[in-house]
Amino acid sequence: MRVLKIFALTALLVMAASVAFAGPTYDRVMSEKVVKAGLSNQGIPFGFIDDKNEWVGFDVDMATEIAKRLGCKLEKVVVNNNTRISFVQTNPPKVDMVLSNMTHKRVRDEKIDFSITYFFDGQKFLAKKGVVKDVKDLANLKVGSMQGTTSIVNATAYLKELGNPNPQVTGYDGEVAMFEALRSGRVQAITTDSTILLGYAAKVPGQFELVGDFISDEPYGIGLPQDDSAWRDAINFTLQDIWKDGTYKTIYDKWFGPDSKYPFPLTSKIEMWP
Amino acid sequence: MFKRYFEKVWVQNLTLLALVGLVVYYFAFIFEFKYDFDWAVFVTEGQYGHMGHLMVNGINTTLTITFYSAAIALFMGTVFGLARLSGFKPVYWFATSYVELFRNTPLLIQLFFWNFALPYAFPEEIRFKLFEMDFEFWCATIGCGIFTGAFMAEIIRAGIQSIPKGLLEASYSSGLTFSQTLRKIILPLAFREIIPPLGSEFLNNMKNTSLAMTIGVTELCWSMTEVYSLTYRTFEAFSVATLVYLGLSLTIAGILYIVNERLKIMPRDQVTPLRRLADILFWPFDALGRRMEVIFWYFRKSPEQKTISPLRRLLKASARKLVLAAKGLFVAALAYLLYMVALALVHFNWEIIWANLKTLLIWRFPNGDETEFFMGLGGLAGSVLMAVISITGSFFIGLFVGMGRTAQNRAIRIPCTLYIELIRGVPLILVILWFYQAILEFVFKVDVHAFWAATIAMTFFFGAYIAETVRGGIENIPPGQVEAAKASGLTYFQTMRKIILPQALKQMLPALVGMFIAAFKDTSLAYIIGVMELTRAAYAINNRIMIYPFEIYTTVAVLYFVCCYFMSLYAKRLERKLSPETVRIEM
């Protein structure tokens, strides 16, 4: 048995790509010059794999820019809706920051820290053209959403408010499955943050439309390890610098500008400290 | 001296107790979890609803899927298992291709195919009719049923074929009719042969229902994921789900144990209490059987009817024609099916497949970024790599744990048994999540790439299965050899190394190849934590192209099938080579 244990332990140690050590994230990043960012790889247009099998998107560009300004190399780590919080929550954190179209919420802020808001969105519904004429129509539709997000909770509450005591909301495994459900017709509407809906609607132009009002505010923040103010300051200042010199606008226009596939006008400003 | 003490049971028990104490002491006082447990999440209403209710709903759905799919699997297994024995070739071919096709592709890919690709094969009206029903749920249920059915068909075929010819000859020569032989000889014997492996298929089926979460069915694993992504209570959610799965596994195993006990042949005067309990539990079935016997007796053919009346002759002749017509119809249906498949193949968008084939095979290697895993290696190559590493690792675990389980010493045997049974009672998907999100970072404090997390999880998972194979291999060796080795003065490890293992390993080889196939298929589950193996690569491509799910999932299914099928052919050849009684000795 001892042989087995020793073998298992050595195997684990050898397999460990990098045995992380505890310590404030800021010091670690600055000494290693590598920043690990948690990014989604299936959320168009925030983080996805494009035709050339490159991992691109708004969040990816933002992460790259932040890493560049900190003078570090970026290491991309896949996260999904279920893991994006827990990866910064662990000790030591699996990633130093998470950019994964994640809404800053108070409940989440109890577990991890957030940067200032770097993107402004809201939850909406997407349906086939002409299906929803009035917002009230939504109440009795079959609706799809994503598992592990608050969208599904919001949607259920909203449909109840519209007058359906027992709404049918299905939580699919990720954006792709959700959109596929709408496209094949197994649900009549899907709901999540509007920019993601735009990204998928652009896949089959002209067939789908956003309906209704924003049913929630979704200010996106960068998820950061809890209680590390040096690191949080570094990220916040970098975000403000990116905004101040116009790089933010460039990145934004690349993905959401009037000439992009998913036009979404920039209406708010990020928080600037004098 | 130590050795002599260690042979005493109280010393062994004390050692076990001390081990448990050490573990408890370590985790309670020395080990720093850096995680505060809060079990209250399941009983209080939170901001996002009541998590306890969510879990109960999940358990309910899991049970429903398990029952329905088990019934479907048993039906499919019986029909196709019998069809595999059919003398009519087209039926045999059809059944064989069903069994091979579904056994050699991962369940996850099958579910994706049913869910994402199949609806597009129907015209729109039918599709919408389908979707009005609970499509995902039925997709998962029928998918699991068909998958498990393929395994059951093989078990049933093998069970029926295992009856020695001599028994049949004896029963015919003692004057039993065919139906009597079937009822009295074939079925009871086949049942005894079939029940244990069939039971483990029921168990596997229960565990496989956990994959339904990937297509959005709100079963136990789905609820568990929902709980931890809404409350961030990883440990609590995982623990509850694991306990429920273990409970279900134990229940199924218990039922099977009792069924087994009932079927055992034992003399009247040596009946165990358990057998008595089994007899009581099976009383309704026995009673039913006896009633049936009476009814059969009543409807038996009387001697006066031995001469055939003209009407009976006509009936018999028309029955023969009916069978012939049914055969014709079956062949026509088969031809139509083949035609449809060919048509679908012709209408495939081959360009899409061709353009993405390289991606499916190796993902983006060698053009990947240097921070990426193995420069962007993934796809089929990644799956193979994962299977090779994990099966190599689990071979060593299996060897030691399997030996440990056959040991006399309780202090070794009990931990090994515990490990095997614990791991085998939980779905692989849960083991992977445990390793990826809980064990590696909280207990071992290592931070590894998702690929390694999945590989380590699979290593421990298959270790338990290989341990069982090793145990079987060791117990197959005649005890006389061990005694002879002991008598000639070899120590335990020498006996193992020089006598037992060389023979046992040779016997185990086909089973090990089978395990490798299983591991290769199960690499598809690493999808769940985002490893870019074949399934995830297909998913990413589908995400990008969106409108050709049929093509992409078919290609992936074919890739998995080709690899698994050729390996299983190899395993069969090995088996034939290694079992001398079936090889015809030629002079």
Short mmCIF file of all heavy atoms in Angstrom, two decimals, chain A residues 243-261:
data_model
loop_
_atom_site.label_atom_id
_atom_site.label_comp_id
_atom_site.label_asym_id
_atom_site.label_seq_id
_atom_site.Cartn_x
_atom_site.Cartn_y
_atom_site.Cartn_z
N TRP A 243 -9.83 52.95 -20.93
CA TRP A 243 -10.95 53.80 -21.33
C TRP A 243 -10.44 55.18 -21.74
O TRP A 243 -10.84 55.73 -22.76
CB TRP A 243 -11.93 53.93 -20.17
CG TRP A 243 -13.10 54.83 -20.45
CD1 TRP A 243 -13.12 56.20 -20.32
CD2 TRP A 243 -14.38 54.47 -20.95
NE1 TRP A 243 -14.33 56.70 -20.69
CE2 TRP A 243 -15.13 55.66 -21.08
CE3 TRP A 243 -14.98 53.25 -21.29
CZ2 TRP A 243 -16.46 55.68 -21.53
CZ3 TRP A 243 -16.29 53.27 -21.73
CH2 TRP A 243 -17.02 54.47 -21.86
N LYS A 244 -9.51 55.73 -20.91
CA LYS A 244 -9.08 57.12 -21.08
C LYS A 244 -8.40 57.34 -22.42
O LYS A 244 -8.67 58.33 -23.09
CB LYS A 244 -8.15 57.51 -19.92
CG LYS A 244 -8.21 58.98 -19.63
CD LYS A 244 -7.74 59.39 -18.23
CE LYS A 244 -6.51 58.70 -17.73
NZ LYS A 244 -6.13 59.17 -16.38
N ASP A 245 -7.55 56.44 -22.82
CA ASP A 245 -6.81 56.73 -24.07
C ASP A 245 -7.53 56.20 -25.32
O ASP A 245 -6.95 56.17 -26.40
CB ASP A 245 -5.36 56.23 -23.98
CG ASP A 245 -5.29 54.72 -23.91
OD1 ASP A 245 -6.33 54.06 -24.11
OD2 ASP A 245 -4.19 54.19 -23.65
N GLY A 246 -8.77 55.78 -25.15
CA GLY A 246 -9.54 55.44 -26.33
C GLY A 246 -9.42 54.00 -26.80
O GLY A 246 -10.09 53.61 -27.75
N THR A 247 -8.56 53.22 -26.15
CA THR A 247 -8.42 51.82 -26.57
C THR A 247 -9.72 51.07 -26.37
O THR A 247 -10.09 50.20 -27.16
CB THR A 247 -7.30 51.13 -25.77
OG1 THR A 247 -6.24 52.05 -25.61
CG2 THR A 247 -6.81 49.90 -26.48
N TYR A 248 -10.41 51.41 -25.27
CA TYR A 248 -11.68 50.75 -24.99
C TYR A 248 -12.63 50.91 -26.16
O TYR A 248 -13.24 49.96 -26.63
CB TYR A 248 -12.32 51.33 -23.72
CG TYR A 248 -13.59 50.62 -23.32
CD1 TYR A 248 -13.56 49.53 -22.46
CD2 TYR A 248 -14.83 51.02 -23.83
CE1 TYR A 248 -14.72 48.86 -22.10
CE2 TYR A 248 -15.99 50.35 -23.48
CZ TYR A 248 -15.93 49.28 -22.61
OH TYR A 248 -17.08 48.61 -22.27
N LYS A 249 -12.72 52.15 -26.66
CA LYS A 249 -13.61 52.44 -27.78
C LYS A 249 -13.23 51.59 -29.00
O LYS A 249 -14.10 51.06 -29.70
CB LYS A 249 -13.52 53.94 -28.09
CG LYS A 249 -14.52 54.44 -29.10
CD LYS A 249 -15.88 54.76 -28.45
CE LYS A 249 -16.84 55.31 -29.49
NZ LYS A 249 -17.96 54.40 -29.72
N THR A 250 -11.93 51.49 -29.24
CA THR A 250 -11.47 50.70 -30.39
C THR A 250 -11.91 49.25 -30.27
O THR A 250 -12.45 48.66 -31.20
CB THR A 250 -9.92 50.75 -30.49
OG1 THR A 250 -9.49 52.05 -30.14
CG2 THR A 250 -9.46 50.38 -31.88
N ILE A 251 -11.67 48.69 -29.07
CA ILE A 251 -12.04 47.29 -28.87
C ILE A 251 -13.56 47.14 -28.96
O ILE A 251 -14.08 46.23 -29.60
CB ILE A 251 -11.55 46.78 -27.50
CG1 ILE A 251 -10.02 46.83 -27.43
CG2 ILE A 251 -12.05 45.37 -27.23
CD1 ILE A 251 -9.45 46.44 -26.09
N TYR A 252 -14.26 48.11 -28.35
CA TYR A 252 -15.72 48.05 -28.35
C TYR A 252 -16.25 48.08 -29.78
O TYR A 252 -17.11 47.29 -30.16
CB TYR A 252 -16.30 49.21 -27.53
CG TYR A 252 -17.78 49.06 -27.28
CD1 TYR A 252 -18.24 48.40 -26.16
CD2 TYR A 252 -18.71 49.55 -28.20
CE1 TYR A 252 -19.59 48.23 -25.93
CE2 TYR A 252 -20.07 49.39 -27.98
CZ TYR A 252 -20.50 48.72 -26.84
OH TYR A 252 -21.84 48.55 -26.63
N ASP A 253 -15.71 49.00 -30.56
CA ASP A 253 -16.21 49.15 -31.94
C ASP A 253 -15.90 47.93 -32.79
O ASP A 253 -16.63 47.58 -33.71
CB ASP A 253 -15.61 50.40 -32.60
CG ASP A 253 -16.32 51.65 -32.09
OD1 ASP A 253 -17.40 51.50 -31.49
OD2 ASP A 253 -15.78 52.76 -32.27
N LYS A 254 -14.78 47.27 -32.47
CA LYS A 254 -14.42 46.08 -33.22
C LYS A 254 -15.52 45.02 -33.09
O LYS A 254 -15.84 44.30 -34.03
CB LYS A 254 -13.09 45.53 -32.70
CG LYS A 254 -12.62 44.27 -33.37
CD LYS A 254 -11.24 43.89 -32.84
CE LYS A 254 -10.93 42.44 -33.16
NZ LYS A 254 -9.81 41.94 -32.34
N TRP A 255 -16.11 44.94 -31.89
CA TRP A 255 -17.10 43.89 -31.66
C TRP A 255 -18.54 44.37 -31.75
O TRP A 255 -19.41 43.65 -32.17
CB TRP A 255 -16.85 43.22 -30.30
CG TRP A 255 -15.55 42.53 -30.27
CD1 TRP A 255 -14.41 42.94 -29.66
CD2 TRP A 255 -15.22 41.32 -30.95
NE1 TRP A 255 -13.38 42.06 -29.90
CE2 TRP A 255 -13.86 41.05 -30.68
CE3 TRP A 255 -15.94 40.43 -31.76
CZ2 TRP A 255 -13.21 39.94 -31.20
CZ3 TRP A 255 -15.29 39.32 -32.25
CH2 TRP A 255 -13.94 39.09 -31.98
N PHE A 256 -18.79 45.62 -31.27
CA PHE A 256 -20.18 46.06 -31.18
C PHE A 256 -20.46 47.34 -31.97
O PHE A 256 -21.55 47.89 -31.88
CB PHE A 256 -20.57 46.28 -29.72
CG PHE A 256 -20.38 45.07 -28.87
CD1 PHE A 256 -19.30 44.98 -28.00
CD2 PHE A 256 -21.26 44.01 -28.96
CE1 PHE A 256 -19.12 43.85 -27.23
CE2 PHE A 256 -21.08 42.88 -28.18
CZ PHE A 256 -20.00 42.80 -27.32
N GLY A 257 -19.46 47.88 -32.70
CA GLY A 257 -19.64 49.13 -33.43
C GLY A 257 -20.67 48.98 -34.54
O GLY A 257 -21.14 47.87 -34.83
N PRO A 258 -21.03 50.12 -35.16
CA PRO A 258 -22.07 50.09 -36.20
C PRO A 258 -21.72 49.18 -37.38
O PRO A 258 -22.62 48.62 -38.01
CB PRO A 258 -22.17 51.55 -36.64
CG PRO A 258 -21.10 52.30 -35.94
CD PRO A 258 -20.56 51.46 -34.84
N ASP A 259 -20.43 48.98 -37.66
CA ASP A 259 -20.05 48.15 -38.81
C ASP A 259 -19.85 46.68 -38.43
O ASP A 259 -19.56 45.85 -39.29
CB ASP A 259 -18.73 48.67 -39.43
CG ASP A 259 -18.85 50.12 -39.80
OD1 ASP A 259 -19.97 50.54 -40.16
OD2 ASP A 259 -17.84 50.84 -39.71
N SER A 260 -19.99 46.38 -37.14
CA SER A 260 -19.74 44.99 -36.72
C SER A 260 -20.98 44.14 -36.99
O SER A 260 -22.01 44.62 -37.42
CB SER A 260 -19.39 44.96 -35.25
OG SER A 260 -20.52 45.31 -34.49
N LYS A 261 -20.83 42.86 -36.71
CA LYS A 261 -21.94 41.93 -36.94
C LYS A 261 -23.03 42.11 -35.91
O LYS A 261 -24.17 41.75 -36.13
CB LYS A 261 -21.40 40.49 -36.84
CG LYS A 261 -20.86 39.94 -38.12
CD LYS A 261 -20.71 38.44 -37.97
CE LYS A 261 -19.58 37.91 -38.82
NZ LYS A 261 -19.04 36.66 -38.32
#
